[in-house]
Amino acid sequence: MQLNNNVTEFILLGLTQDPLRKKIIFAIFLFFYLGMLVGNLLIITTIKTSQVLGSPMYFFLFYLSLSDTCFSTSIAPRTLMDALSKKTTISFNQCIIQVFTLHFFGCMEVFILTLMAVDRYVAICKPLHYMTIMSHRVCSVLVAVAWVGSCVHSLVQIFLALSLPYCGPNEIDHYFCDLEPLLKLACADTYVINLLLVSNSGAICTVSFVMLMFSYVIILHSLRNHSVEGRRKALSTCISHIIVVILFFGLCIFIYTRPATTFPMDKMIAVFYSIGTPLLNPLIYTLRNAEVKNAMRKLWSKKLVSDDVR
């Protein structure tokens, strides 16, 4: 794995080097990470066990929660461990693996959010053909394509990173391994590589965001022909999606679609999209969705009954 490389490990400088602040960061990350795990695992369990939540929307929501959980888990546990350690080193291979998992599950989330918008478009604009167009087989194929696309995207990122030599400084000015801070340590001109990375990650984020916004404009325009109750229900679902899309895509576009420059705010933005957005997703989708809340109540009631029987 270590091609043209004399560096065997990197030092992660983290969010701060101050011992007191590191403890505060540990407490904040632990709180947010546990909240993210509980929220997303609850959604995953509810959708998997509920017979009511069998529509394509919840099929995609299941994979969104799964990708959120894996996305944060590729970063948070390591950050928690480093916050309690004096020596925050990561091996070259572990760094490359973290880059792969970060981009794989991040790209997966981009694709799933896009599929959720497609699902809402078909449900609202073509309701009579909804179950035919968005059949279980079609949804499964779409998710499989999203997995393959995410894998291809991440492999391209890794190939570009490994094509450069690393022979000098080994301090990464970040709290996790990502391509931008990693390529700053390469002992070669990275201009072309950075352009390729921006055209890869940046294009996926920007094109997906434009497609999503365009689809929601069409959806909102078509709601004029629906009943008041139909408009209310559709708007409730779409607004949830739009909030998630703007939060996640806005931050990703800011980070991954610009030239090879870093700003002081980059780390804080990374904190929000790596653990903040995955925490907000279950809150947004459950607090605004009566079907999910009812399914969760039934799941909790069954658990209480089974506990009483024991």
Side-chain angles (χ1 to χ4, degrees):
M1 241 177 134
Q2 298 176 19
L3 307 177
N4 303 321
N5 176 39
N6 296 325
V7 175
T8 59
E9 66 177 19
F10 295 106
I11 298 171
L12 294 170
L13 297 183
L15 291 165
T16 180
Q17 293 296 308
D18 181 79
L20 178 60
R21 289 181 180 177
K22 287 176 77 172
K23 290 178 182 177
I24 295 172
I25 288 170
F26 173 83
I28 293 172
F29 256 81
L30 183 62
F31 174 78
F32 276 84
Y33 181 59
L34 290 178
M36 183 281 304
L37 277 181
V38 171
N40 282 294
L41 290 177
L42 184 58
I43 287 179
I44 289 170
T45 305
T46 302
I47 293 174
K48 206 67 179 174
T49 57
S50 175
Q51 296 179 345
V52 178
L53 306 179
S55 68
M57 182 176 73
Y58 299 114
F59 179 79
F60 294 132
L61 181 57
F62 171 87
Y63 283 100
L64 179 66
S65 292
L66 181 63
S67 60
D68 270 340
T69 303
C70 296
F71 180 66
S72 284
T73 301
S74 68
I75 298 172
R78 177 90 207 184
T79 304
L80 290 170
M81 184 175 66
D82 288 346
L84 297 178
S85 305
K86 291 183 179 179
K87 190 179 181 183
T88 55
T89 59
I90 184 170
S91 72
F92 182 87
N93 287 347
Q94 288 174 342
C95 185
I96 294 298
I97 290 170
Q98 188 177 53
V99 171
F100 177 84
T101 55
L102 170 71
H103 281 268
F104 178 83
F105 292 110
C107 188
M108 185 70 183
E109 183 164 354
V110 168
F111 289 148
I112 294 298
L113 286 170
T114 305
L115 292 178
M116 292 177 79
V118 171
D119 171 70
R120 289 301 85 202
Y121 167 79
V122 177
I124 293 170
C125 299
K126 300 182 182 294
L128 298 178
H129 304 286
Y130 177 61
M131 293 312 298
T132 303
I133 297 173
M134 301 302 293
S135 65
H136 182 73
R137 181 175 177 276
V138 170
C139 292
S140 298
V141 170
L142 290 173
V143 169
V145 170
W147 280 93
V148 173
S150 300
C151 188
V152 171
H153 161 74
S154 298
L155 287 174
V156 169
Q157 304 289 85
I158 295 302
F159 174 78
L160 292 173
L162 290 176
S163 66
L164 293 168
Y166 301 91
C167 52
N170 67 338
E171 291 186 346
I172 296 178
D173 188 18
H174 217 305
Y175 67 94
F176 61 86
C177 283
D178 202 1
L179 289 164
E180 192 61 48
L182 181 62
L183 293 185
K184 287 183 177 296
L185 306 182
C187 308
D189 183 14
T190 60
Y191 179 76
V192 175
I193 299 295
N194 270 298
L195 284 180
L196 292 172
L197 292 176
V198 168
S199 64
N200 185 355
S201 298
I204 289 174
C205 290
T206 306
V207 172
S208 298
F209 181 71
V210 171
M211 286 175 58
L212 284 165
M213 290 297 100
F214 183 70
S215 68
Y216 282 123
V217 168
I218 296 174
I219 289 170
L220 293 174
H221 183 264
S222 69
L223 288 178
R224 296 180 307 166
N225 302 323
H226 288 65
S227 65
V228 175
E229 179 60 25
R231 282 201 299 268
R232 188 196 61 78
K233 188 174 181 181
L235 278 172
S236 178
T237 304
C238 288
I239 287 171
S240 299
H241 293 187
I242 291 170
I243 291 170
V244 172
V245 164
I246 291 174
L247 287 173
F248 184 76
F249 280 87
L251 298 175
C252 288
I253 288 171
F254 177 80
I255 294 293
Y256 292 110
T257 58
R258 64 175 197 245
T261 55
T262 55
F263 298 111
M265 67 186 79
D266 284 356
K267 290 182 185 180
M268 295 312 299
I269 290 174
V271 169
F272 193 80
Y273 76 71
S274 65
I275 198 165
T277 305
L279 173 65
L280 289 175
N281 281 353
L283 294 175
I284 290 170
Y285 282 108
T286 54
L287 291 178
R288 299 183 61 87
N289 193 307
E291 287 181 331
V292 175
K293 287 190 286 188
N294 290 334
M296 285 182 176
R297 289 192 193 100
K298 290 179 181 178
L299 179 66
W300 183 252
S301 299
K302 286 180 182 178
K303 185 181 183 305
L304 291 176
V305 170
S306 62
D307 289 343
D308 290 340
V309 171
R310 290 176 189 175

